[in-house]
């Protein structure tokens, strides 16, 4: 793939051509930001290109069974603190959508399917700036750190 493009730019054509495919992203120099970007583009796994055969077989097994292969450092970032506060408990109980406006809920669903702000803006007939405002409001209301956490929450509930 082209190293001058972001991971999202590299995965977009793959996602369009092979919508039902299970995507595993491998990187020579893996990093958390690239991993998060890969998962936001609906990749099912992210790993080092130098992973051993046993690890690759484990990844294949997890992905084939419908799971997601997430490295330990990414998992720690996603989980954040271990103490559940009231808003987190509500999210865990599936009540997260009740705190969002209709538009915020639409934006959250669009993020969960991997749309970019630009794509969401086009789909909803609003400006990208408005989308960014909705994304910020959703993340604040749900006390989430990033789009990946939001996508995982939407897909769970």
């Amino acid at each position: 793939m082209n190293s001058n493009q972001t991971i999202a730019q590299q995965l977009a054509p793959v996602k369009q051509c092979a919508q039902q495919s299970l995507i595993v992203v491998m990187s020579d120099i893996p990093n958390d930001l690239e991993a998060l970007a890969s998962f936001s583009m609906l990749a099912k796994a992210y790993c080092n290109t130098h992973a051993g055969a046993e690890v690759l077989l484990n990844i294949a097994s997890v992905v084939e069974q419908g799971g997601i292969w997430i490295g330990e450092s990414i998992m720690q970032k996603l989980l954040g603190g271990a103490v559940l506060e009231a808003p987190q408990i509500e999210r865990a109980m599936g009540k997260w959508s009740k705190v969002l406006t209709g538009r915020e809920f639409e934006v959250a669903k669009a993020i969960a399917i991997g749309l970019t702000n630009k794509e969401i803006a086009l789909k909803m007939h609003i400006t990208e700036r408005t989308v960014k405002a909705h994304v910020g409001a959703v993340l604040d209301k749900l006390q989430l750190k990033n789009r990946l956490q939001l996508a995982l929450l939407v897909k769970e509930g």
Side-chain angles (χ1 to χ4, degrees):
M1 295 203 164
N2 186 344
S3 62
N4 293 328
Q5 294 180 318
T6 67
I7 194 72
Q9 291 169 326
Q10 293 176 51
L11 286 177
V14 174
K15 195 171 102 175
Q16 284 181 341
C17 293
Q19 294 177 0
Q20 301 302 316
S21 295
L22 303 174
I23 299 171
V24 174
V25 176
M26 301 176 79
S27 177
D28 285 336
I29 306 171
N31 67 71
D32 291 350
L33 289 176
E34 186 177 72
L36 289 171
S38 299
F39 289 119
S40 74
M41 293 299 292
L42 304 180
K44 298 296 180 184
Y46 179 87
C47 67
N48 193 319
T49 53
H50 305 291
E54 188 175 327
V55 172
L56 294 175
L57 287 171
N58 287 336
I59 292 170
S61 176
V62 167
V63 171
E64 284 176 346
Q65 293 175 35
I68 298 175
W69 182 273
I70 298 178
E72 187 177 336
S73 65
I74 297 295
M75 185 59 76
Q76 291 300 322
K77 283 188 169 102
L78 290 174
L79 295 176
V83 177
L84 287 179
E85 297 173 5
Q88 292 169 314
I89 292 168
E90 284 186 4
R91 285 198 316 265
M93 294 172 56
K95 297 180 182 175
W96 62 269
S97 62
K98 294 178 182 172
V99 300
L100 303 179
T101 66
R103 285 299 234 186
E104 290 168 347
F105 183 70
E106 282 183 70
V107 168
K109 288 193 309 185
I111 288 171
I113 61 170
L115 296 182
T116 65
N117 286 355
K118 187 174 188 172
E119 292 168 329
I120 296 168
L122 290 170
K123 180 180 177 183
M124 295 178 65
H125 307 291
I126 57 178
T127 66
E128 235 178 301
R129 184 175 176 175
T130 302
V131 172
K132 287 179 186 178
H134 286 313
V135 171
V138 169
L139 294 176
D140 285 346
K141 284 181 179 182
L142 300 177
Q143 295 183 350
L144 299 172
K145 296 177 184 175
N146 56 52
R147 294 169 74 100
L148 179 57
Q149 286 181 333
L150 176 59
L152 292 172
L153 176 66
V154 171
K155 287 179 185 235
E156 286 176 6

